[in-house]
Amino acid sequence: MSTEHEPVTPSEARAYEAKTRRELWIGLAILVTVVVLVIIAVMEARFRGGLDDPRPSATLDDTMQGVIDQLGPLPGDAREIVLTTRGERPARYEVVVRDGDGERLFELARGARTAGLIEHGARAGEPVNFRVELSIDRDGNLQGSYRPDRGVPVERYQQIASGVLRDTFIAWHAHVSHPVPEVEEQTSEVIHAGWDRVMD
């Protein structure tokens, strides 16, 4: 039967069926292609998202543990240390040390230019992108998660991260051993009188 419900010859019927089959296969091929492309896009997005998630590394743990062993014991009950990169101008590396309750014990920001930048390649002069999360148990043993900066050799990543961590601990020890004296609140009259005395 033709599309007009009129009798057709066997050759016309075969031609009509061949055209229908061809359209069906083309439609299926397009559908399969779209599904495969969607799957690839989702997997790529998940892979790229996973690159930003900090992951464990026994090698980097050894490097950071060496810093803690060298400068320990730490002054407070440190249980968590987070090292991040702040991309403001000028860029800086920040370290926050917290206790078991999440309270901040100490924090330090170090200029990326003085702590270390990427030295070669298209990103030369830019900071290393850190997201280092360290947890310390009561025995001083460390476990960490690290977000790798894949534009930097791992040796350079280790060097800068451990250096910033070492500077933080040194500053923390100095802060505890030489505390800033308490400042008493003064009235504005006393403050002005002090300035007048100094300026005269």
Side-chain angles (χ1 to χ4, degrees), residues 98-128:
R98 295 187 177 92
D99 63 13
D101 297 326
E103 295 293 325
R104 291 189 177 207
L105 299 174
F106 190 73
E107 55 189 298
L108 178 78
R110 174 93 191 268
R113 182 173 298 281
T114 59
L117 299 170
I118 298 173
E119 297 176 326
H120 305 288
R123 290 177 53 203
E126 294 182 11
V128 175

Side-chain angles (χ1 to χ4, degrees), residues 19-135:
K19 177 183 176 186
T20 304
R21 278 194 212 94
R22 188 170 50 252
E23 290 174 351
L24 177 63
W25 284 113
I26 290 173
L28 285 173
I30 291 172
L31 178 64
V32 169
T33 302
V34 169
V35 169
V36 169
L37 290 176
V38 168
I39 291 172
I40 290 173
V42 169
M43 292 176 65
E44 176 75 10
R46 290 182 66 185
F47 173 75
R48 290 190 178 278
L51 293 178
D52 290 334
D53 295 333
R55 294 183 294 167
S57 169
T59 302
L60 293 173
D61 279 356
D62 289 343
T63 301
M64 299 302 184
Q65 185 72 56
V67 175
I68 291 175
D69 292 343
Q70 181 183 13
L71 296 173
L74 302 180
D77 186 29
R79 291 289 171 263
E80 180 186 5
I81 302 168
V82 178
L83 192 161
T84 54
T85 302
R86 299 296 181 200
E88 297 93 350
R89 298 287 182 221
R92 65 185 189 276
Y93 303 126
E94 289 185 351
V95 181
V96 177
V97 184
R98 295 187 177 92
D99 63 13
D101 297 326
E103 295 293 325
R104 291 189 177 207
L105 299 174
F106 190 73
E107 55 189 298
L108 178 78
R110 174 93 191 268
R113 182 173 298 281
T114 59
L117 299 170
I118 298 173
E119 297 176 326
H120 305 288
R123 290 177 53 203
E126 294 182 11
V128 175
N129 291 320
F130 286 116
R131 176 68 186 181
V132 177
E133 300 172 1
L134 307 175
S135 59

Side-chain angles (χ1 to χ4, degrees), residues 141-184:
N141 298 317
L142 174 145
Q143 284 188 330
S145 297
Y146 309 85
R147 182 184 64 198
D149 186 335
R150 297 184 182 276
V152 182
V154 66
E155 296 81 9
R156 184 65 173 156
Y157 183 98
Q158 284 179 304
Q159 179 187 26
I160 296 176
S162 61
V164 171
L165 190 64
R166 181 177 292 106
D167 292 346
T168 300
F169 291 164
I170 291 171
W172 192 11
H173 281 291
H175 173 74
V176 170
S177 61
H178 298 87
V180 177
E182 291 289 332
V183 178
E184 296 181 4

